[in-house]
Amino acid sequence: MSIAFLGTGIMGAAMAANIAKAGLDVRVWNRTRAKAEPLADVATVADSAAAAADGADILVTMLADGPAVASAFEAASPASGTLWLQMSTVGLDWTDRLAALAEKAGVVFVDAPVLGTRQPAEQAQLQVLASGPEEARPAATPVFDAVAIRTRWLGPAGQGSRLKLVLNAWVLTLTNGTAESLGLAGALGLDPALFLETIKGGGLDVGYAHVKGAAMLSGDYEPSFPASLAAKDAGLVVEAAGDTVDVAGARAVLSHLETAVEAGHGDEDMAALYRAVLKERG
């Protein structure tokens, strides 16, 4: 089974490597070729999206947003009957648009965003939120098993992206809440570390708060998930909620992330929103 993997950023590179290590034939492409070159030991680095997709049984996309995915898919021009595993987080509108592109091209479309960041991707510990035709499952399973600890099949295409937005709303709000609690502790003259120490091991404890909180307190924002992409995801949550649900928490996250990005911290981890919470400038 031949896999064309488009997009070898922080997440995509780790995922493509794990698919190749599982024994599948993988061809990788990235708009910036230098980001794909480190995979040359385990996969074939293609000069173009079309070269990667030529003759491939399965096309995987793991790119920043809907427009990037659509552009890569059109450039790849996969053959009719190809299975497309669309694993990027693109929101509801773009998932529908991409499904329409797939239908027009005669391609089988599976909406399959993933839950997790850099370390789970490197360790093949992601969760895949898959949705699409039942007949696609046998071919998709070896790819998903190579990157994930669990795959959830959720029904028709689009359900995966819906659940991803729900989970993103929680993760983003948790990160922002951690930042606000740490910031408030400092403003009240407390050692902010007391917040993390006090919740540890109790009913309020959440491992993710310690991971992001440690980054905030140390100022080490090595990207596990860049702030610029987190801002994109927060915007997708707000957009999906529309006038139906008041996602004030997601809007607060979006505001803090946009402030951090505008100050030049878009390539840092999303924990850098702590800078905005503290009203740092620059």
Side-chain angles (χ1 to χ4, degrees), residues 3-278:
I3 316 294
F5 197 105
L6 310 184
T8 56
I10 289 175
M11 297 287 289
M15 292 167 65
N18 284 328
I19 294 169
K21 290 172 185 176
L24 300 176
D25 175 27
V26 180
R27 282 172 276 165
V28 297
W29 170 84
N30 196 75
R31 184 179 60 180
T32 304
R33 185 184 172 98
K35 291 185 177 181
E37 287 291 355
L39 294 166
D41 290 342
V42 295
T44 300
V45 179
D47 291 326
S48 66
D54 185 24
D57 301 298
I58 297 177
L59 177 72
V60 180
T61 46
M62 190 62 185
L63 295 148
D65 53 28
V69 173
S71 176
F73 176 79
E74 290 172 340
S77 189
S80 177
T82 301
L83 174 58
W84 180 13
L85 307 180
Q86 204 305 98
M87 304 185 77
S88 321
T89 300
V90 299
L92 304 187
D93 178 56
W94 270 105
T95 295
D96 289 343
R97 293 194 201 187
L98 298 174
L101 284 177
E103 183 177 11
K104 183 178 180 181
V107 168
V108 180
F109 181 75
V110 174
D111 166 44
V114 297
L115 183 64
T117 53
R118 169 182 252 162
Q119 186 173 8
E122 292 173 346
Q123 297 174 346
Q125 297 287 298
L126 299 170
Q127 282 198 60
V128 177
L129 309 176
S131 55
E134 183 68 22
E135 57 268 26
R137 288 182 67 164
T141 294
V143 176
F144 294 159
D145 285 352
V147 302
I149 191 171
R150 178 185 299 165
T151 297
R152 296 181 183 273
W153 284 90
L154 300 162
Q159 295 300 98
S161 282
R162 283 168 168 77
L163 182 55
K164 180 63 190 296
L165 292 178
V166 171
L167 292 162
N168 274 0
W170 178 77
V171 168
L172 291 164
T173 303
L174 175 60
T175 303
N176 194 65
T178 300
E180 291 184 353
S181 292
L182 292 173
L184 180 60
L188 297 179
L190 298 170
D191 178 355
L194 282 172
F195 165 67
L196 297 175
E197 292 171 8
T198 304
I199 66 171
K200 187 175 182 179
L204 300 178
D205 201 3
V206 182
Y208 204 74
H210 292 280
V211 172
K212 295 305 180 186
M216 294 169 189
L217 295 182
S218 69
D220 180 6
Y221 298 117
E222 181 180 355
S224 178
F225 191 69
S228 58
L229 294 182
K232 179 264 297 183
D233 284 0
L236 293 175
V237 171
V238 172
E239 179 183 284
D243 297 328
T244 304
V245 181
D246 182 6
V247 287
R251 288 198 298 273
V253 182
L254 178 58
S255 175
H256 286 151
L257 285 167
E258 287 179 336
T259 298
V261 171
E262 289 168 4
H265 305 296
D267 291 334
E268 297 177 353
D269 188 74
M270 67 177 181
L273 61 78
Y274 188 49
R275 298 178 184 275
V277 169
L278 296 180

